[in-house]
Amino acid sequence: MAPSKKKHDAGDACIIPGGFAVLSLQFSAESGTQHKLYVKEHRVRVETKTHRPLDRTLFVLNIPPYCSQTVVNQIFSRFGPVLSVELSDRPGSPPVPEIKLSNIFKPAEKQVSGFKVAYIVFQKAKSIKLAKSHPHNVPLLVSTEKRPVSTGLQKWAQQYRNTIILPEKLQETVDAFMCDYDLRKEEKAKEQEKEAEEQKEDEEGWVKVTRGNKGTKARPHSEAANQKALQKEIRKKKRKELMNFYTWQHRNTQKEHIADLRKKFEEDKQRISLLRAQRKFRPY
């Protein structure tokens, strides 16, 4: 991106084609070189329902590799409170939220190499205007005395020390997780037992339907009842599997059915004759 031909005063913001404002970034006060960031208000219609509000999200290009999420948060906090910072190797849709786990059990995060892009969400919309109107000749410092940023061997050594987990800390995390898991498992078992008791069938196959509070509809189809009905359907399908597949199978099935009906008919005739004989009047 080439800067615009418009001349800028010493205290003016530098706007280039595309609507990007140029910000100068300097690693420390002693450093003699500066790095350029390109910022712009994030406005994408397809992301109206994401965690990137259109009126409070700043899109930043050319983030150097030594700037982490914490460092970017600290740099742009001078323009207002920052709610979140998202770093990526290229612009795109927001990542799918992952399951929250303890830092001990989280897999190693993929290190984004090279220059990155950032989505910075501020608490107030006016922070966007302050960032875009920041003078281009006033650099933003990355490392200061209050918040030093380590690089090179110091950074790698710190990252290695952070990966070392004490056995006591690991045991505490595992115990807390297992206690929470046992509680959730017991609660789920109690709920299933309660639903199974409410949806229990009697001897004739009727299901007792209970009504909740006044004004609420009865809910006979619980998870236990649905599971039971599903198992019944599966057994029914297995019994019918490959039955009457061929024409001769269907014909034989009909013949067997007719033979069973005739046999039952003869048995019923004999039973009726026996009942009539028992009811015959015999005075002596």
Coordinates of all heavy atoms in Angstrom, one line a residue, residues 247-257:
T247 N -41.2 -63.4 -3.5 CA -42.7 -63.7 -3.7 C -43.1 -65.0 -3.0 O -44.1 -65.1 -2.4 CB -43.0 -63.8 -5.2 OG1 -42.6 -62.6 -5.8 CG2 -44.5 -64.0 -5.4
W248 N -42.2 -66.1 -3.1 CA -42.6 -67.3 -2.5 C -42.6 -67.3 -1.0 O -43.3 -68.0 -0.3 CB -41.6 -68.4 -3.0 CG -40.2 -68.2 -2.6 CD1 -39.2 -67.5 -3.4 CD2 -39.5 -68.6 -1.4 NE1 -38.0 -67.5 -2.7 CE2 -38.2 -68.2 -1.5 CE3 -39.9 -69.3 -0.3 CZ2 -37.2 -68.4 -0.5 CZ3 -39.0 -69.6 0.7 CH2 -37.7 -69.1 0.6
Q249 N -41.7 -66.4 -0.4 CA -41.8 -66.2 1.0 C -43.1 -65.6 1.4 O -43.7 -66.0 2.4 CB -40.6 -65.3 1.5 CG -39.2 -66.0 1.4 CD -38.1 -65.1 1.9 OE1 -38.2 -63.8 1.7 NE2 -37.1 -65.6 2.4
H250 N -43.5 -64.6 0.7 CA -44.8 -63.9 1.0 C -46.0 -64.9 0.9 O -46.9 -64.9 1.7 CB -45.0 -62.7 0.1 CG -46.3 -62.0 0.3 ND1 -46.5 -61.3 1.5 CD2 -47.4 -61.8 -0.4 CE1 -47.6 -60.7 1.5 NE2 -48.2 -61.0 0.3
R251 N -45.9 -65.8 -0.2 CA -47.0 -66.8 -0.4 C -47.0 -67.8 0.8 O -48.0 -68.2 1.3 CB -46.8 -67.5 -1.7 CG -48.0 -68.4 -2.1 CD -47.7 -69.1 -3.4 NE -47.3 -68.2 -4.5 CZ -46.1 -68.1 -5.1 NH1 -45.1 -69.0 -4.7 NH2 -45.8 -67.3 -6.0
N252 N -45.8 -68.3 1.2 CA -45.7 -69.2 2.3 C -46.2 -68.6 3.6 O -46.9 -69.3 4.4 CB -44.3 -69.7 2.4 CG -43.9 -70.6 1.3 OD1 -44.7 -71.1 0.5 ND2 -42.6 -70.8 1.1
T253 N -45.9 -67.3 3.8 CA -46.3 -66.7 5.0 C -47.9 -66.6 5.1 O -48.5 -66.8 6.1 CB -45.7 -65.3 5.1 OG1 -44.3 -65.4 5.0 CG2 -46.1 -64.6 6.4
Q254 N -48.5 -66.3 3.9 CA -49.9 -66.2 3.9 C -50.6 -67.6 4.1 O -51.6 -67.7 4.9 CB -50.4 -65.7 2.5 CG -50.1 -64.2 2.3 CD -50.7 -63.7 1.0 OE1 -50.8 -64.5 0.0 NE2 -50.9 -62.4 0.9
K255 N -50.0 -68.7 3.6 CA -50.5 -70.0 3.8 C -50.4 -70.4 5.3 O -51.3 -71.0 5.8 CB -49.7 -71.0 2.9 CG -50.0 -70.9 1.4 CD -49.2 -72.0 0.7 CE -49.5 -71.9 -0.8 NZ -48.7 -72.9 -1.6
E256 N -49.3 -70.1 5.9 CA -49.1 -70.4 7.3 C -50.1 -69.6 8.2 O -50.6 -70.2 9.1 CB -47.7 -70.1 7.7 CG -46.6 -71.0 7.1 CD -45.2 -70.6 7.5 OE1 -45.1 -69.6 8.2 OE2 -44.2 -71.2 7.1
H257 N -50.4 -68.4 7.8 CA -51.3 -67.6 8.5 C -52.7 -68.2 8.4 O -53.5 -68.3 9.4 CB -51.3 -66.2 8.0 CG -52.2 -65.2 8.7 ND1 -52.1 -64.9 10.1 CD2 -53.3 -64.5 8.3 CE1 -53.0 -64.1 10.5 NE2 -53.8 -63.8 9.4

